Amino acid sequence: MTMKKTTLALAAALLPLLAGAQDAQIESKVAALMRQMTVAEKVGQLHQISGGLHTGPASGEDARTQADIRSGKVGSMLNVKGVADTRAMQALALQSRLHIPLLFGQDVIHGYRTVFPVPLGESASWDMEAIEQSARVAAREASAAGIHWTFAPMVDIARDPRWGRVMEGAGEDAFLGSAIARARVHGFQGKRLGATDAVMATAKHFAAYGAALAGRDYNAVDMSQQQLFEVYLPPFKAALDAGAATFMNSFNTLNGVPATGNSFLQRDVLKGRWNFKGFVVSDWGSVREMVAHGYASDLADASVKAINAGSDMDMESYAHLNYLEQSIKSGKVKMKTLDDAVRRILYKKFELGLFDDPYRFADAAREKAVLADPSHRAAALDVAQKSLVLLKNEGGALPLSRDAKRIAVIGPLADARRDLEGGWVVEGDRARVVSILEGIRGHAGKAEVSYAQACGVGCTNSDGFADAVATAAKADVVVLAVGETWDMSGEAKSRTDITLPGHQEQLFAALKATGKPVVVVMLAGRPLVFNAIADQADAIVYAWFPGSEGGNAVANVLFGDYNPSGKLPITFPRSVGQIPLSYAQPSTGRPVTDEKDVVYKSGYIDSVNSPRYAFGHGLSYTSFKYSGLTVSSAEMSPSQQVTLSFDLANTGKAEGTEIVQLYLRDMVASVARPVKELKGFQKIHLLPGEQRRVNFTIDRELLSFFNSQLVWGAEAGDFKLMVGSASDDIRLEGALKLLPAR
Ligand code: GLC
């Protein structure tokens, strides 16, 4: 064995030992500290309060808050950011009797100073390296600004675009969502927690928050445990396996029990079955909200129910602060329950090195340097252009011809900046956001670029349409930027109507009537319904909310400097009436068909069943040919694996990247299986004319599912294997028989 291999092998063997030693060392420090703590001081570690989001260090205008911090009654704060303010609050905490430092948490969801595409947009890149890099940059910037902990990644599976928070997640699929959860946790936490360019991640919102009834935020969730384990829990487990330091529970009830007080979720599954060693923070006020749910009789009861169910830290309910000490005295909460929660939190503070140096994340010079790092903007551009999805492109409308002399850029979002950032922006450098108009102007070369806003925010007024039509009439091509404003997606932003707000579709029709080719760039935090545009536009680029470099990313795609490669991570319905809609639908006893002469079918009398755009859909400026599928064996025993292979060729004129997707169907099982499940994907970059053999390994794990007893496993029988460019664009099929275990 070479020296290098020996060294690597030694390191691989030593690392777990070293981690174990660190673990034991920290555990003993935690134990020693806890032996000194009073019950009140222990309770203080579970109490998290918010600072003044944009008004300095803390809601510290409130002297009581500062007094609580000084007396060790506060263990963590959120919404305190920047070296100056975090140092100020930390200094107060260090005046407490045991000098226990604060943890600073923040919603760094898709960037801190440099804003990346909203998570749903990033997910459309299907690019785990890019997604990890995005979280890495966010962690570098946030940790340089005194923040220890981000409340991300949000890993809620969502199949209802009426729910505004679909913007914050990775879409509808457990397999893709799990890969993205891993990438985001690795990006935020880096190689090891404790480095000053890493932050603790939070897997949120535990659990099933994305299945809120009717897509109405904060609404109840009702589902079988089999569906919970099959669809909604896997990304959380993936985040945990990736080392997520913390979990955040959710506002919703799950089968009648609030997640915050849900012992099945937090004790049985998370801390029991999955052996989670980190801590659980409640969502904002969700402990208190158990009273409103009708699950707790008052705040004292809510505090008892939360901590006994495994919810450790209380964000902004003041429940533990005011009632937990009394509940310990009365025996409603055992001291070992309190100690377990405190131990989990203190462990992280030691792991972050905050007892060695409480200010180690608060270096003003580093903050200045890191927040100005130009490489972050380059990363934001890279991720943004990979997130754009070319939904439609006819008549060679795109890429824009270099001969185009006059380009009209029109629409309420054409020169928008704030909207490109999307929701959950902490510190975005708004003045430096590149608008779509700016991006096009920067890429148009000699072409003349004209501009007409046509209507204002929400496009409720069409007075500017005539001017816009006149501008379009003088151009060779029209680029129309429409969609949602940034504040129409996100928390508490559910919509019953997900069409384009205001008169934007009418604006499109007026511009289309000029006879000029119209390229539509759509901004949104969710799938929208835009059937007229889908039918009549010459090209459509779905840009989500693409972040600080959004205008440049859009321009790179429009002019062909970047060949779009994004694929939809979520289904786009034809109408709200089809929701919930996912490609991974179970089969039905009656046929799912649009055949008119089939009366008794599973469908609608007023719509076809198919979505407007399917999960996995996304076009390119080149074309790809799939051929020559082979499966290394037609049969497989549970202990074996087979290789599915096929050729992918770039048959067009431009180099491009294809995201090939592997789906399968378990034809007969003890639980009726979906007609299709994503079980693999690869991003393949090919030059024109280049061909490559693509391989997927299929093993028992890939064929497994949770049966009705929640047992994970694969059942013998036939499987259909499918490879395609989208869930509704299957190019090759194969078959595999899983043999019974001997
Ligand atoms: C919010 C959100 C949660 C966020 C928390 C702190 O209500 O539900 O995602 O992390 O409060 O801002």
Side-chain angles (χ1 to χ4, degrees):
M1 193 188 279
T2 63
M3 172 59 82
K4 184 166 182 294
K5 279 189 179 171
T6 311
T7 314
L8 284 174
L10 204 56
L14 279 176
L15 273 178
L17 298 175
L18 292 174
Q22 184 207 30
D23 186 44
Q25 194 183 33
I26 292 179
E27 287 291 4
S28 67
K29 288 178 179 174
V30 168
L33 176 56
M34 286 182 67
R35 283 192 288 273
Q36 303 171 57
M37 294 172 77
T38 64
V39 172
E41 286 165 334
K42 288 178 180 177
V43 169
Q45 289 305 301
L46 311 190
H47 181 44
Q48 182 186 60
I49 59 172
S50 174
L53 195 49
H54 295 297
T55 55
S59 36
E61 301 74 46
D62 167 354
R64 178 174 58 82
T65 303
Q66 307 229 2
D68 284 349
I69 297 170
R70 275 199 200 87
S71 57
K73 290 183 178 175
V74 178
S76 169
M77 295 184 78
L78 70 152
N79 297 329
V80 179
K81 52 193 171 48
V83 164
D85 289 352
T86 53
R87 289 188 82 97
M89 289 300 100
Q90 198 64 284
L92 292 180
L94 296 176
Q95 294 173 30
S96 62
R97 184 176 76 87
L98 293 170
H99 320 298
I100 299 175
L102 291 170
L103 272 178
F104 293 110
Q106 187 70 48
D107 292 288
V108 183
I109 308 299
H110 52 109
Y112 180 79
R113 170 66 55 81
T114 308
V115 180
F116 285 74
V118 292
L120 188 62
E122 265 190 4
S123 303
S125 72
W126 294 50
D127 189 320
M128 299 311 126
E129 280 173 33
I131 289 170
E132 181 169 342
Q133 175 61 2
S134 165
R136 190 88 288 279
V137 169
R140 288 194 67 222
E141 294 189 353
S143 58
I147 289 163
H148 308 131
W149 174 25
T150 180
F151 304 130
M154 185 271 220
V155 300
D156 299 306
I157 294 293
R159 298 179 166 181
D160 186 333
R162 291 173 295 181
W163 189 55
R165 302 199 76 167
V166 69
M167 175 272 277
E168 302 171 46
E172 72 183 54
D173 183 71
F175 185 90
L176 178 63
S178 297
I180 291 172
R182 280 190 288 273
R184 287 186 169 141
V185 169
H186 289 147
F188 285 129
Q189 299 193 165
K191 290 192 177 25
R192 69 173 179 83
L193 271 190
T196 51
D197 69 348
V199 292
M200 292 199 297
T202 308
K204 74 181 185 182
H205 306 79
F206 195 63
Y209 180 29
L213 287 176
R216 178 158 57 87
D217 207 354
Y218 314 123
N219 203 358
V221 171
D222 224 69
M223 71 174 65
S224 71
Q225 293 202 341
Q226 193 278 336
Q227 186 69 192
L228 177 71
F229 271 75
E230 171 160 317
V231 177
Y232 293 87
L233 291 186
F236 286 99
K237 183 64 169 55
L240 185 149
D241 292 343
T246 71
F247 269 55
M248 180 186 289
N249 52 43
S250 53
F251 291 120
N252 57 286
T253 56
L254 175 61
N255 300 332
V257 179
T260 304
N262 198 307
S263 189
F264 168 72
L265 280 177
Q266 297 174 126
R267 290 233 177 270
D268 299 354
V269 175
L270 180 60
K271 295 178 177 179
R273 188 173 180 143
W274 293 354
N275 194 27
F276 177 58
K277 295 297 184 194
F279 68 85
V280 177
V281 62
S282 77
D283 201 339
W284 185 296
S286 66
V287 175
R288 174 185 300 275
E289 289 175 13
M290 288 202 281
V291 179
H293 279 298
Y295 185 73
S297 51
D298 55 26
L299 196 52
D301 185 32
S303 164
V304 169
K305 284 178 169 142
I307 194 163
N308 283 341
S311 178
D312 302 305
M313 186 182 281
D314 166 10
M315 180 193 288
E316 272 290 333
S317 288
Y318 289 76
H320 295 344
L321 178 74
N322 291 316
Y323 298 102
L324 188 48
E325 197 169 349
Q326 179 50 39
S327 300
I328 291 284
K329 286 194 183 99
S330 69
K332 285 182 184 171
V333 175
K334 292 187 174 48
M335 181 60 82
K336 71 178 174 61
T337 303
L338 172 59
D339 284 346
D340 178 62
V342 175
R343 182 177 304 113
R344 289 169 181 266
I345 292 164
L346 290 178
Y347 186 97
K348 289 305 172 193
K349 293 186 177 184
F350 275 105
E351 193 176 13
L352 291 174
L354 294 177
F355 282 94
D356 299 331
D357 174 4
Y359 299 109
R360 64 194 298 264
F361 287 80
D363 174 333
R366 192 164 72 92
E367 178 182 42
K368 191 167 182 302
V370 170
L371 295 192
D373 185 335
S375 71
H376 296 175
R377 297 286 299 208
L381 173 58
D382 175 59
V383 176
Q385 55 195 21
K386 287 174 178 171
S387 69
L388 304 183
V389 182
L390 182 61
L391 294 178
K392 179 181 183 184
N393 186 24
E394 287 179 356
L398 288 179
L400 295 176
S401 158
R402 284 294 174 193
D403 305 333
K405 302 271 184 299
R406 295 164 300 174
I407 302 169
V409 182
I410 294 174
L413 297 172
D415 199 28
R417 282 174 169 71
R418 175 66 193 87
D419 296 305
L420 267 62
E421 294 181 305
W424 288 111
V425 171
V426 180
E427 267 280 307
D429 191 356
R430 194 127 319 133
R432 293 180 59 220
V433 172
V434 179
S435 74
I436 292 169
L437 174 64
E438 199 177 344
I440 291 173
R441 282 199 162 129
H443 287 70
K446 294 190 184 59
E448 173 204 311
V449 177
S450 56
Y451 165 60
Q453 189 185 23
C455 47
V457 172
C459 205
T460 52
N461 173 308
S462 54
D463 294 353
F465 283 19
D467 173 48
V469 166
T471 304
K474 287 181 269 181
D476 302 316
V477 61
V478 176
V479 175
L480 172 64
V482 288
E484 285 186 330
T485 49
W486 71 271
D487 53 356
M488 295 190 77
S489 295
E491 183 172 357
K493 306 289 185 189
S494 296
R495 294 176 65 195
T496 57
D497 169 3
I498 55 174
T499 58
L500 292 184
H503 304 305
Q504 297 183 84
E505 293 250 34
Q506 290 86 330
L507 172 59
F508 165 77
L511 296 173
K512 187 64 191 158
T514 65
K516 304 291 182 176
V518 180
V519 171
V520 175
V521 177
M522 203 163 285
L523 295 173
R526 59 166 35 108
L528 295 179
V529 169
F530 46 94
N531 290 307
I533 288 176
D535 291 338
Q536 300 163 42
D538 298 271
I540 304 169
V541 175
Y542 217 76
W544 315 99
F545 292 121
S548 303
E549 285 290 327
N552 285 329
V554 167
N556 279 347
V557 164
L558 295 183
F559 287 97
D561 296 338
Y562 182 82
N563 182 355
S565 56
K567 299 272 188 187
L568 296 180
I570 189 167
T571 301
F572 278 50
R574 294 175 185 277
S575 74
V576 161
Q578 290 181 295
I579 294 171
L581 186 61
S582 157
Y583 82 92
Q585 301 282 27
S587 180
T588 52
R590 296 292 167 94
V592 176
T593 173
D594 298 322
E595 290 297 317
K596 292 280 179 245
D597 57 1
V598 177
V599 175
Y600 299 104
K601 63 190 174 195
S602 177
Y604 307 92
I605 59 171
D606 58 357
S607 167
V608 295
N609 277 315
S610 60
R612 184 80 230 191
Y613 297 108
F615 174 84
H617 172 76
L619 303 177
S620 171
Y621 293 149
T622 190
S623 54
F624 296 97
K625 179 169 174 276
Y626 293 59
S627 62
L629 184 138
T630 60
V631 183
S632 57
S633 167
E635 295 183 344
M636 183 182 101
S637 73
S639 59
Q640 292 172 325
Q641 59 187 37
V642 300
T643 302
L644 177 147
S645 306
F646 64 94
D647 289 328
L648 182 76
N650 179 342
T651 50
K653 296 187 176 56
E655 66 175 287
T657 301
E658 172 72 329
I659 298 167
V660 301
Q661 300 151 49
L662 168 68
Y663 295 92
L664 64 78
R665 179 180 181 178
D666 187 344
M667 301 309 288
V668 177
S670 61
V671 174
R673 308 298 306 134
V675 294
K676 206 170 278 160
E677 294 178 83
L678 179 74
K679 291 292 183 180
F681 60 88
Q682 293 181 37
K683 282 190 84 164
I684 313 278
H685 187 82
L686 296 175
L687 298 174
E690 188 182 0
Q691 174 166 304
R692 191 170 310 164
R693 189 85 180 147
V694 184
N695 301 305
F696 283 103
T697 299
I698 296 173
D699 59 11
R700 177 177 52 187
E701 187 68 11
L702 220 57
L703 307 181
S704 294
F705 63 95
F706 285 99
N707 68 15
S708 49
Q709 312 308 315
L710 301 185
V711 174
W712 174 257
E715 296 177 3
D718 294 324
F719 290 81
K720 181 160 80 168
L721 307 177
M722 297 160 270
V723 166
S725 185
S727 59
D728 70 341
D729 182 5
I730 298 303
R731 304 288 182 88
L732 302 168
E733 290 192 10
L736 176 66
K737 180 186 284 300
L738 178 65
L739 300 173
R742 285 192 208 299

